[in-house]
Amino acid sequence: MNRLHRRLHISAESIAEYASSIEAPLQRINGLLIAPAGMPIIFWKAAEIPWLPADCILIHGSQQFWYEAPITAGMTLDCELSLSKMEHKMGRQSRLTLYTHKLICKCDGSLIVTAETVLIGVGDEA
């Protein structure tokens, strides 16, 4: 299984909490709170990713976001996370596995954001 679907409701409280955690200012558009650009990473907390080894050390490699519209309070996002590539490499001290993920989030059928995230698994379990 290399594809996962989740529905996430984005509340004003969750935006304020996330913004506070990264010390980002709160911003509004048409009276609604706007989520900070990196907020789609909450998907990783909302779902257990079955293809990532449970006993593996994971390091955040990189992340990019492409927005079509801002995420605002009150949205319900339909999100699909997929594993688009897995590469094995030898590091200086151990084996590394690079997991490249694509996250697509839509609201009412309209694309809101696409994100690409690379996680690096360290060790033999990766």
Side-chain angles (χ1 to χ4, degrees):
M1 176 181 192
N2 64 353
R3 196 171 302 275
L4 188 63
H5 294 85
R6 287 286 184 271
R7 181 171 269 193
L8 296 174
H9 177 72
I10 307 299
S11 67
E13 295 80 16
S14 65
I15 290 174
E17 183 180 309
Y18 179 76
S20 175
S21 75
I22 62 167
E23 298 181 2
L26 290 176
Q27 298 180 8
R28 294 180 184 274
I29 186 168
N30 298 326
L32 296 173
L33 281 179
I34 300 173
M39 192 161 174
I41 66 167
I42 67 170
F43 186 92
W44 295 93
K45 291 172 126 182
E48 203 169 297
I49 314 302
W51 55 82
L52 293 176
D55 297 338
C56 180
I57 296 170
L58 291 172
I59 299 169
H60 187 257
S62 66
Q63 192 157 34
Q64 295 179 311
F65 301 96
W66 297 273
Y67 276 90
E68 299 298 320
I71 296 173
T72 57
M75 280 185 166
T76 298
L77 298 177
D78 291 306
C79 301
E80 178 181 280
L81 179 70
S82 59
L83 178 65
S84 53
K85 185 166 56 168
M86 188 169 77
E87 299 175 79
H88 299 286
K89 295 185 175 194
M90 274 309 295
R92 291 184 191 168
Q93 297 178 356
S94 65
R95 179 180 159 171
L96 305 174
T97 304
L98 281 67
Y99 300 93
T100 302
H101 298 89
K102 184 175 186 179
L103 176 65
I104 299 171
C105 297
K106 297 179 179 183
C107 182
D108 296 327
S110 295
L111 179 63
I112 302 298
V113 63
T114 302
E116 183 179 87
T117 303
V118 177
L119 297 177
I120 303 168
V122 179
D124 291 333
E125 295 298 316

